[in-house]
Amino acid sequence: MGANNGKQYGSEGKGSSSISSDISSSTDHTPTKAPKNATTTTEGVDSGTRTLSTPSPGGLILPPKSSSLSSPLSLSSNGHETHSSSSSSAPPGGDTVAVVVHAQPPTTTSTRSTRHPSKSHHQHSPVDRLPDHALLQVFSHLPTNQLCRCARVCRRWYNLAWDPRLWSTVRLTGELLHADRAIRVLTHRLCQDTPNVCLTLETVVINGCKRLTDRGLHVVAQCCPELRRLEVAGCYNVSNEAVFEVVSRCPSLEHLNLSGCSKVTCISLTQEASLQLSPLHGQQISIHYLDMSDCFSLEDEGLRTIASHCPRLTHLYLRRCPRLTDEALRHLAHHCPAVRELSLSDCRLVGDFGLREVARLEGCLRYLSVAHCARITDVGVRYVARYCPRLRYLNARGCEGLTDHGLGHLARSCPRLRSLDVGKCPLVSDSGLEQLALYCQGLRRLSLRACESVSGRGLRALAANCCELQLLNVQDCEVSPEALRFVRRHCRRCVIEHTNPAFY
């Protein structure tokens, strides 16, 4: 009976695929030679692990150059590589990360029952007594790789693990992961019930996978028409072509994170999609959230293209895009009037003219970061304060041209301000803090780090009027311990970050 079941298992897995970090590159297309006393249905890192007897299609984890053929590579949960021989079990220091997709497991219990017929009576574990809906609830909290491993346990778990309701999200991370192959195999399995498309998949997160290329994103674009969220942060091998394909084939896409994708220079529809959608060209990309931080190649023309094709943008993050200038912000304000959050941190070519264009967003703008934009002065801040009265968050750290005059305009015009960072602004002093305390009494977070002109007088005014203050950063400021104690007495929920050894 055991031999027959093993033969059936091998036939079922013949056309299947596997994604596993417990495979070395030497097993890509070569069957592993089984030990003499092992059954024909076992193969893998240790003899107690049941996997397919068919050849593996290839490890999806890149082995280091020094890996030997006799030491299969594993990836621990903390991201470090470990080696284990075929005669020893996995190291106890942490569970290995593995994603396996293969055919439905057989109904046999284990090889032990084949060797000892007298012990063939199956002993149900407590987890087997859980009803299906309870197991589904447990599985819903598992990451993608662990969910795939659960499908290897038994036939019941296999059917539950591949329940479409569990596959609205796929998360794959790790520098050593063969992301392209993982996406291809997963989407192929999820398309079995609905050929060529994954109707349930709405979120794909593949952060930090340097092996992800345009081929992987092309598979996502072709198989996931209902995609709403895509994150490929740190995948620097992705280019414009793949991004164009995704936004053209996934009309419901709303959230796109391309931070660190240095090859991406703009976002647009493919030429074929543009011809089909004419004359509505430019109005079909429904992205609301876009993060292009650390996209070093992004220039003014690229941002103009993005703005003209994504008019529904509400959240835009352009941190550390050093080639952007004030001209790019003019196009942004013209085409994307609904922007609520905008980050231009470390865009060092942006100045007061750019802030004047940002101020055209008027009542929509709630969040603005211009940290380390040294060209910004009181003039630009005055434009924002005058036309954006609903501003809640402003990060102007390192804007050395900002003075008490600009801070006063901000305080009087933006009474709903909740968070302000003016660290490393040496011209901000107690006078500016007193105006802030008078008009922005709902302030909750304030950073004055390295503001050399701030003393106890300004802090006492803040503490007396801003009772809701929750965080105060006065590191590297010449503030007396008495002033800090005054803040602590009046703002009991406030966390004070300081560098004064006399205050405790």
Short mmCIF file of all heavy atoms in Angstrom, two decimals, residues 339-373:
data_model
loop_
_atom_site.label_atom_id
_atom_site.label_comp_id
_atom_site.label_asym_id
_atom_site.label_seq_id
_atom_site.Cartn_x
_atom_site.Cartn_y
_atom_site.Cartn_z
N VAL A 339 -3.46 66.89 -4.13
CA VAL A 339 -2.36 66.38 -3.31
C VAL A 339 -2.52 66.85 -1.87
O VAL A 339 -2.63 68.06 -1.59
CB VAL A 339 -0.99 66.83 -3.87
CG1 VAL A 339 0.13 66.47 -2.90
CG2 VAL A 339 -0.74 66.18 -5.22
N ARG A 340 -2.55 65.89 -0.94
CA ARG A 340 -2.67 66.19 0.48
C ARG A 340 -1.34 66.08 1.21
O ARG A 340 -1.09 66.80 2.17
CB ARG A 340 -3.67 65.23 1.14
CG ARG A 340 -5.09 65.36 0.63
CD ARG A 340 -5.95 64.19 1.11
NE ARG A 340 -5.92 64.05 2.55
CZ ARG A 340 -6.77 64.63 3.38
NH1 ARG A 340 -7.73 65.42 2.89
NH2 ARG A 340 -6.69 64.44 4.67
N GLU A 341 -0.51 65.13 0.79
CA GLU A 341 0.79 64.93 1.43
C GLU A 341 1.88 65.01 0.36
O GLU A 341 1.80 64.32 -0.65
CB GLU A 341 0.86 63.59 2.16
CG GLU A 341 -0.11 63.50 3.33
CD GLU A 341 0.17 62.28 4.20
OE1 GLU A 341 1.20 61.61 3.96
OE2 GLU A 341 -0.63 62.02 5.12
N LEU A 342 2.90 65.82 0.63
CA LEU A 342 3.99 66.02 -0.32
C LEU A 342 5.31 66.08 0.45
O LEU A 342 5.45 66.86 1.38
CB LEU A 342 3.78 67.31 -1.10
CG LEU A 342 4.89 67.71 -2.08
CD1 LEU A 342 5.02 66.67 -3.19
CD2 LEU A 342 4.61 69.10 -2.67
N SER A 343 6.25 65.25 0.02
CA SER A 343 7.58 65.26 0.64
C SER A 343 8.62 65.57 -0.42
O SER A 343 8.72 64.87 -1.43
CB SER A 343 7.89 63.90 1.29
OG SER A 343 9.21 63.92 1.83
N LEU A 344 9.40 66.62 -0.16
CA LEU A 344 10.49 67.05 -1.03
C LEU A 344 11.81 67.08 -0.27
O LEU A 344 12.72 67.83 -0.62
CB LEU A 344 10.18 68.44 -1.61
CG LEU A 344 8.89 68.57 -2.42
CD1 LEU A 344 8.54 70.03 -2.66
CD2 LEU A 344 9.02 67.82 -3.75
N SER A 345 11.91 66.27 0.76
CA SER A 345 13.11 66.27 1.59
C SER A 345 14.35 65.99 0.76
O SER A 345 14.36 65.08 -0.08
CB SER A 345 12.99 65.22 2.70
OG SER A 345 11.88 65.49 3.53
N ASP A 346 15.40 66.77 1.01
CA ASP A 346 16.70 66.60 0.35
C ASP A 346 16.64 66.84 -1.16
O ASP A 346 17.55 66.41 -1.87
CB ASP A 346 17.28 65.22 0.64
CG ASP A 346 17.64 65.05 2.11
OD1 ASP A 346 18.67 65.58 2.51
OD2 ASP A 346 16.87 64.39 2.83
N CYS A 347 15.61 67.50 -1.64
CA CYS A 347 15.60 67.98 -3.03
C CYS A 347 16.23 69.37 -3.00
O CYS A 347 15.53 70.39 -2.89
CB CYS A 347 14.18 68.02 -3.59
SG CYS A 347 13.40 66.39 -3.71
N ARG A 348 17.51 69.43 -3.07
CA ARG A 348 18.26 70.63 -2.73
C ARG A 348 18.15 71.73 -3.78
O ARG A 348 18.60 72.86 -3.55
CB ARG A 348 19.73 70.27 -2.48
CG ARG A 348 19.88 69.28 -1.32
CD ARG A 348 21.32 68.93 -1.04
NE ARG A 348 21.42 67.93 0.01
CZ ARG A 348 21.44 68.19 1.32
NH1 ARG A 348 21.36 69.45 1.72
NH2 ARG A 348 21.54 67.23 2.21
N LEU A 349 17.59 71.44 -4.94
CA LEU A 349 17.39 72.47 -5.96
C LEU A 349 16.04 73.16 -5.84
O LEU A 349 15.74 74.08 -6.60
CB LEU A 349 17.53 71.86 -7.36
CG LEU A 349 18.90 71.24 -7.69
CD1 LEU A 349 18.90 70.68 -9.11
CD2 LEU A 349 20.02 72.26 -7.52
N VAL A 350 15.22 72.74 -4.90
CA VAL A 350 13.91 73.34 -4.68
C VAL A 350 14.06 74.55 -3.76
O VAL A 350 14.71 74.47 -2.72
CB VAL A 350 12.93 72.31 -4.09
CG1 VAL A 350 11.62 72.99 -3.67
CG2 VAL A 350 12.66 71.20 -5.08
N GLY A 351 13.43 75.65 -4.14
CA GLY A 351 13.54 76.88 -3.35
C GLY A 351 12.19 77.54 -3.14
O GLY A 351 11.13 76.91 -3.23
N ASP A 352 12.22 78.85 -2.90
CA ASP A 352 11.00 79.59 -2.58
C ASP A 352 10.01 79.61 -3.74
O ASP A 352 8.80 79.57 -3.53
CB ASP A 352 11.37 81.03 -2.19
CG ASP A 352 12.10 81.09 -0.86
OD1 ASP A 352 11.90 80.17 -0.04
OD2 ASP A 352 12.87 82.05 -0.64
N PHE A 353 10.51 79.68 -4.99
CA PHE A 353 9.61 79.65 -6.13
C PHE A 353 8.83 78.33 -6.16
O PHE A 353 7.63 78.31 -6.48
CB PHE A 353 10.40 79.83 -7.44
CG PHE A 353 9.54 79.81 -8.66
CD1 PHE A 353 8.85 80.95 -9.07
CD2 PHE A 353 9.40 78.64 -9.41
CE1 PHE A 353 8.05 80.91 -10.20
CE2 PHE A 353 8.61 78.62 -10.55
CZ PHE A 353 7.93 79.76 -10.94
N GLY A 354 9.49 77.24 -5.84
CA GLY A 354 8.82 75.95 -5.80
C GLY A 354 7.73 75.92 -4.75
O GLY A 354 6.64 75.38 -4.97
N LEU A 355 7.99 76.51 -3.57
CA LEU A 355 6.97 76.56 -2.52
C LEU A 355 5.80 77.46 -2.93
O LEU A 355 4.66 77.21 -2.51
CB LEU A 355 7.59 77.04 -1.21
CG LEU A 355 8.38 76.00 -0.41
CD1 LEU A 355 8.61 76.50 1.01
CD2 LEU A 355 7.68 74.66 -0.36
N ARG A 356 6.08 78.49 -3.72
CA ARG A 356 4.97 79.31 -4.20
C ARG A 356 4.04 78.48 -5.08
O ARG A 356 2.81 78.63 -5.03
CB ARG A 356 5.52 80.50 -4.99
CG ARG A 356 4.43 81.51 -5.35
CD ARG A 356 4.95 82.58 -6.28
NE ARG A 356 5.16 82.07 -7.63
CZ ARG A 356 5.43 82.85 -8.68
NH1 ARG A 356 5.56 84.15 -8.52
NH2 ARG A 356 5.61 82.31 -9.88
N GLU A 357 4.61 77.56 -5.89
CA GLU A 357 3.79 76.69 -6.71
C GLU A 357 3.05 75.66 -5.85
O GLU A 357 1.90 75.32 -6.11
CB GLU A 357 4.66 75.98 -7.75
CG GLU A 357 5.35 76.92 -8.73
CD GLU A 357 4.35 77.76 -9.48
OE1 GLU A 357 3.31 77.22 -9.92
OE2 GLU A 357 4.61 78.97 -9.65
N VAL A 358 3.73 75.15 -4.81
CA VAL A 358 3.09 74.20 -3.90
C VAL A 358 1.91 74.86 -3.20
O VAL A 358 0.87 74.22 -2.94
CB VAL A 358 4.11 73.68 -2.88
CG1 VAL A 358 3.42 72.90 -1.76
CG2 VAL A 358 5.14 72.79 -3.57
N ALA A 359 2.02 76.14 -2.91
CA ALA A 359 0.94 76.85 -2.22
C ALA A 359 -0.33 76.90 -3.05
O ALA A 359 -1.42 77.14 -2.51
CB ALA A 359 1.39 78.27 -1.87
N ARG A 360 -0.23 76.64 -4.35
CA ARG A 360 -1.43 76.62 -5.20
C ARG A 360 -2.31 75.43 -4.89
O ARG A 360 -3.46 75.36 -5.36
CB ARG A 360 -1.00 76.60 -6.67
CG ARG A 360 -0.30 77.88 -7.12
CD ARG A 360 0.30 77.74 -8.49
NE ARG A 360 -0.71 77.41 -9.50
CZ ARG A 360 -0.43 77.10 -10.76
NH1 ARG A 360 0.83 77.06 -11.16
NH2 ARG A 360 -1.40 76.82 -11.61
N LEU A 361 -1.81 74.47 -4.14
CA LEU A 361 -2.64 73.34 -3.70
C LEU A 361 -3.67 73.79 -2.67
O LEU A 361 -4.63 73.07 -2.38
CB LEU A 361 -1.75 72.23 -3.11
CG LEU A 361 -0.76 71.60 -4.09
CD1 LEU A 361 0.18 70.65 -3.37
CD2 LEU A 361 -1.50 70.85 -5.20
N GLU A 362 -3.41 74.91 -2.05
CA GLU A 362 -4.33 75.60 -1.14
C GLU A 362 -4.88 74.68 -0.05
O GLU A 362 -4.14 74.02 0.66
CB GLU A 362 -5.44 76.27 -1.96
CG GLU A 362 -4.91 77.35 -2.89
CD GLU A 362 -5.99 78.07 -3.64
OE1 GLU A 362 -7.16 77.60 -3.63
OE2 GLU A 362 -5.68 79.11 -4.24
N GLY A 363 -6.21 74.60 0.04
CA GLY A 363 -6.83 73.94 1.18
C GLY A 363 -6.62 72.44 1.26
O GLY A 363 -6.92 71.83 2.29
N CYS A 364 -6.12 71.80 0.19
CA CYS A 364 -5.95 70.35 0.21
C CYS A 364 -4.72 69.93 1.00
O CYS A 364 -4.71 68.86 1.61
CB CYS A 364 -5.85 69.83 -1.22
SG CYS A 364 -7.38 69.92 -2.16
N LEU A 365 -3.66 70.72 0.99
CA LEU A 365 -2.39 70.30 1.56
C LEU A 365 -2.47 70.18 3.08
O LEU A 365 -2.87 71.10 3.78
CB LEU A 365 -1.29 71.30 1.17
CG LEU A 365 0.14 70.84 1.40
CD1 LEU A 365 0.46 69.65 0.51
CD2 LEU A 365 1.13 71.97 1.14
N ARG A 366 -2.08 68.99 3.58
CA ARG A 366 -2.05 68.74 5.02
C ARG A 366 -0.64 68.44 5.53
O ARG A 366 -0.32 68.70 6.68
CB ARG A 366 -2.94 67.53 5.37
CG ARG A 366 -4.39 67.66 4.97
CD ARG A 366 -5.13 68.67 5.84
NE ARG A 366 -6.56 68.56 5.63
CZ ARG A 366 -7.22 69.17 4.65
NH1 ARG A 366 -6.55 69.92 3.79
NH2 ARG A 366 -8.52 69.05 4.52
N TYR A 367 0.20 67.89 4.67
CA TYR A 367 1.53 67.39 5.07
C TYR A 367 2.54 67.91 4.07
O TYR A 367 2.39 67.75 2.85
CB TYR A 367 1.50 65.87 5.08
CG TYR A 367 2.82 65.15 5.32
CD1 TYR A 367 3.05 64.49 6.52
CD2 TYR A 367 3.80 65.11 4.34
CE1 TYR A 367 4.26 63.82 6.74
CE2 TYR A 367 5.00 64.44 4.55
CZ TYR A 367 5.22 63.79 5.75
OH TYR A 367 6.40 63.12 5.95
N LEU A 368 3.61 68.56 4.57
CA LEU A 368 4.65 69.07 3.70
C LEU A 368 6.01 68.89 4.37
O LEU A 368 6.19 69.26 5.53
CB LEU A 368 4.43 70.56 3.40
CG LEU A 368 5.51 71.25 2.55
CD1 LEU A 368 5.57 70.63 1.17
CD2 LEU A 368 5.25 72.75 2.46
N SER A 369 6.94 68.30 3.63
CA SER A 369 8.31 68.13 4.12
C SER A 369 9.28 68.73 3.12
O SER A 369 9.30 68.32 1.95
CB SER A 369 8.63 66.65 4.34
OG SER A 369 9.98 66.49 4.76
N VAL A 370 10.05 69.70 3.58
CA VAL A 370 11.08 70.33 2.76
C VAL A 370 12.41 70.30 3.53
O VAL A 370 13.22 71.23 3.42
CB VAL A 370 10.70 71.78 2.38
CG1 VAL A 370 9.57 71.78 1.37
CG2 VAL A 370 10.31 72.58 3.63
N ALA A 371 12.62 69.24 4.27
CA ALA A 371 13.82 69.13 5.10
C ALA A 371 15.08 69.21 4.24
O ALA A 371 15.16 68.59 3.17
CB ALA A 371 13.79 67.82 5.89
N HIS A 372 16.04 69.97 4.73
CA HIS A 372 17.36 70.10 4.09
C HIS A 372 17.29 70.74 2.71
O HIS A 372 18.19 70.55 1.90
CB HIS A 372 18.06 68.74 4.01
CG HIS A 372 18.16 68.04 5.33
ND1 HIS A 372 18.90 68.51 6.38
CD2 HIS A 372 17.57 66.89 5.77
CE1 HIS A 372 18.79 67.69 7.41
NE2 HIS A 372 17.97 66.71 7.07
N CYS A 373 16.23 71.48 2.44
CA CYS A 373 16.17 72.28 1.21
C CYS A 373 16.70 73.67 1.57
O CYS A 373 15.94 74.56 2.01
CB CYS A 373 14.74 72.36 0.68
SG CYS A 373 14.06 70.76 0.16
#
